Amino acid sequence: QKEVEQDPGPLSVPEGAIVSLNCTYSNSAFQYFMWYRQYSRKGPELLMYTYSSGNKEDGRFTAQVDKSSKYISLFIRDSQPSDSATYLCAIRGDGNQFYFGTGTSLTVIP
Amino acid sequence: DAGVIQSPRHEVTEMGQEVTLRCKPISGHNSLFWYRQTMMRGLELLIYFNNNVPIDDSGMPEDRFSAKMPNASFSTLKIQPSEPRDSAVYFCASSSIRDGRNQPQHFGDGTRLSIL
């Protein structure tokens, strides 16, 4: 079993929609969770990170962690065409390394 | 504030040639990571360094791959000899350390490698 599994998509939504991106992880000891956004032909860019269960908001973005289910989500409110990108979840492991999901490709249609 | 800088941005070469990818991490960051990204396998960690010392190279696919970090501001990833299946985008990332733990990584824009 992989350390992190991510819904592959692709996902296509109309402008203004709420987007939900999801990952599951295998090890209940993992405690540090991140979301990256990657535009075409660019490197992943850190979007948000959180330690704890619950929600963390930053503008239109909300990161949610449910440790009991080993499930993490990223919600995007009022999605914009500029949000079109690939989103990767990432988790820091026990040994200080990072595990990445394979990414979900999102297209927001004007 | 300069981010992670990688060179070259694109490399096209013939099978059997030596390829050297370069990375300058963010100043002050103690950890450096090399990744390979493909459509099929996503982001794969190849090797990571902590204070210039290789900590985990279990992701290096074969002896054809080698990485060095001679000082805190420079690292190389070398493939010799290169093969078509090495074609991918190679990313370098760096992070700081707090309380002995790696903080979130910052990525360069990658080197797009094509081996013909």
Side-chain angles (χ1 to χ4, degrees):
Chain A
Q1 183 185 6
K2 292 187 72 173
E3 290 84 2
V4 183
E5 302 272 5
Q6 183 170 4
D7 292 343
L11 206 52
S12 183
V13 301
E15 183 175 353
I18 296 175
V19 176
S20 170
L21 305 165
N22 308 294
C23 291
T24 58
Y25 60 96
S26 59
N27 190 330
S28 57
F30 292 165
Q31 294 188 8
Y32 200 88
F33 309 96
M34 293 148 280
W35 284 96
Y36 285 81
R37 177 175 61 196
Q38 186 176 18
Y39 290 116
S40 179
R41 296 186 176 269
K42 302 287 279 183
E45 166 196 5
L46 180 66
L47 208 52
M48 297 181 70
Y49 62 92
T50 182
Y51 272 110
S52 53
S53 273
N55 294 348
K56 180 178 180 180
E57 257 187 58
D58 184 359
R60 297 184 293 109
F61 298 88
T62 300
Q64 185 177 83
V65 176
D66 181 347
K67 289 187 178 180
S68 61
S69 303
K70 293 184 281 187
Y71 196 84
I72 62 174
S73 300
L74 179 71
F75 298 97
I76 307 174
R77 288 186 302 279
D78 187 25
S79 55
Q80 303 294 308
S82 58
D83 296 328
S84 298
T86 297
Y87 291 80
L88 300 100
C89 60
I91 299 176
R92 189 177 66 195
D94 296 346
N96 229 0
Q97 70 281 58
F98 294 85
Y99 301 107
F100 283 82
T102 49
T104 301
S105 175
L106 171 67
T107 301
V108 180
I109 302 167
Chain B
D1 186 21
V4 175
I5 299 172
Q6 291 187 245
S7 64
R9 288 297 311 276
H10 304 272
E11 176 87 12
V12 181
T13 192
E14 292 188 345
M15 176 176 151
Q17 297 298 305
E18 178 179 291
V19 173
T20 300
L21 311 181
R22 296 174 176 79
C23 175
K24 177 177 168 55
I26 291 172
S27 178
H29 280 189
N30 308 95
S31 293
L32 183 140
F33 305 77
W34 282 101
Y35 289 91
R36 177 170 67 179
Q37 187 177 46
T38 60
M39 290 291 290
M40 291 294 292
R41 300 168 71 95
L43 262 177
E44 299 175 276
L45 177 66
L46 300 176
I47 185 170
Y48 93 86
F49 295 84
N50 188 335
N51 292 321
N52 313 338
V53 175
I55 302 300
D56 182 358
D57 66 354
S58 59
M60 296 286 262
E62 302 169 33
D63 291 346
R64 299 183 296 106
F65 286 69
S66 62
K68 292 183 180 178
M69 191 164 186
N71 58 61
S73 57
F74 184 66
S75 177
T76 59
L77 177 68
K78 190 171 292 188
I79 308 173
Q80 166 63 19
S82 56
E83 296 184 4
R85 60 193 166 117
D86 301 330
S87 298
V89 182
Y90 290 80
F91 287 104
C92 176
S94 69
S95 73
S96 60
I97 295 177
R98 187 184 307 154
D99 299 328
R101 305 305 303 273
N102 282 324
Q103 299 307 296
Q105 301 165 328
H106 296 263
F107 284 78
D109 280 336
T111 295
R112 188 170 295 270
L113 178 64
S114 296
I115 309 296
L116 307 177

